[in-house]
Amino acid sequence: MEVALLTVGDELLAGDTVNTNANWLAAELSDRGVAVKRILSVPDDRSVIAERVRAYADAFDAVIVTGGIGGTPDDVTMDAVADAFDRDLAATDLTREAVTDHLAAIRERLPDSEVDVDVEAEAAIPVGSRPLLNDPGLAPGCVVEGVYVMPGIPEELKTMFESVADEFAGDRRSRFLYTVEPESDIVPALETAGERFDVAVGCYPDREAAHNRLKVTATDDDALDAAAAWLLDHANASETPVRRNWE
């Protein structure tokens, strides 16, 4: 399964907000054997979002879009996704009820506050899409033609993703190894392992941990095990973290 991640928000591009959502989603998907093929941040621009959603929906098995689904003027993601598939926006009975119940809970908790929300607009999703309810938040998400639209607030995103996590599964498996050998010294071993066992091998120097971390990825368990065993011998690698004095 190949998935693209599209994170929306001017604040991401300006550096005002750290894009933890992309990192968290990529790790969750990778743990499920899914190949994350693209991670892209785009501005709160309706036409840009629609164009990328349309292109990624055609190219990958699924797309996860996060951010910009609230009720402020810069929240245009849901409109853009509807544009991508030439659909109108409309509330459903389920999303309308969820938004109404959430607003009632807010008013009960904050009786002196003015809570003025357009329920129909807040609950609107592309016509014909599957609603994804937002238990910790207000705005619902949805699934339309393989595109999963979710909130940008991390707590809300994580809760919503867990409700559909079983829909993401793949056959990619990875193992991590560790070596104190300088990266330049193990290039031949890494190349040979990749070619000999038909696996992907990445090398990630970590000065703070004082080792190089090797990641071996494959879709065949036997190939993965064989490549890892070979690297343990030929790259002076270990299955547990090791340290060296880099000075």
Side-chain angles (χ1 to χ4, degrees):
M1 186 176 190
E2 296 185 342
V3 173
L5 305 180
L6 191 65
T7 56
V8 179
D10 292 343
E11 70 277 14
L12 300 176
L13 298 174
D16 298 329
T17 299
V18 177
N19 193 355
T20 57
N21 286 343
N23 178 266
W24 185 84
L25 281 169
E28 290 292 313
L29 293 167
S30 295
D31 286 346
R32 289 169 169 78
V34 174
V36 179
K37 305 301 287 186
R38 297 286 189 279
I39 297 178
L40 179 67
S41 295
V42 295
D44 296 302
D45 184 311
R46 187 165 167 173
S47 63
V48 172
I49 299 168
E51 188 274 329
R52 283 294 89 201
V53 165
R54 193 180 300 112
Y56 283 174
D58 287 340
F60 303 106
D61 297 311
V63 183
I64 299 179
V65 185
T66 72
I69 68 169
T72 57
D74 59 325
D75 291 327
V76 297
T77 298
M78 201 64 80
D79 299 271
V81 172
D83 292 344
F85 301 112
D86 296 321
R87 302 191 184 204
D88 294 326
L89 286 176
T92 69
D93 291 342
L94 187 62
T95 60
R96 187 184 297 108
E97 180 182 4
V99 170
T100 300
D101 289 347
H102 194 84
L103 289 172
I106 293 174
R107 292 188 180 102
E108 183 177 347
R109 190 169 65 250
L110 304 170
D112 297 329
S113 298
E114 290 290 336
V115 182
D116 185 16
V117 174
D118 183 338
V119 173
E120 289 297 306
E122 192 74 27
I125 58 177
V127 172
S129 62
R130 169 161 54 106
L132 297 178
L133 298 186
N134 186 355
D135 290 336
L138 187 60
C142 71
V143 185
V144 51
E145 300 197 27
V147 177
Y148 293 70
V149 186
M150 301 187 182
I153 298 173
E155 178 192 2
E156 297 179 15
L157 165 67
K158 292 176 181 179
T159 301
M160 190 174 290
F161 177 79
E162 290 302 324
S163 72
V164 295
D166 289 344
E167 298 175 25
F168 295 88
D171 56 4
R172 286 167 62 93
R173 301 291 182 268
S174 297
R175 286 181 61 179
F176 285 102
L177 304 175
Y178 308 87
T179 181
V180 296
E181 295 298 321
E183 190 174 32
S184 59
D185 290 357
I186 58 174
V187 169
L190 302 183
E191 292 176 340
T192 300
E195 295 169 358
R196 180 171 178 176
F197 301 100
D198 192 24
V199 298
V201 184
C203 182
Y204 310 102
D206 189 334
R207 291 295 175 128
E208 184 176 346
H211 60 227
N212 287 321
R213 183 165 52 103
L214 308 179
K215 184 176 183 179
V216 188
T217 304
T219 57
D220 180 89
D221 290 339
D222 291 338
L224 180 63
D225 291 341
W230 192 88
L231 285 168
L232 287 171
D233 291 336
H234 293 81
N236 191 24
S238 168
E239 294 183 291
T240 56
V242 289
R243 296 182 64 89
R244 70 171 281 170
N245 183 353
W246 292 94
E247 300 301 325

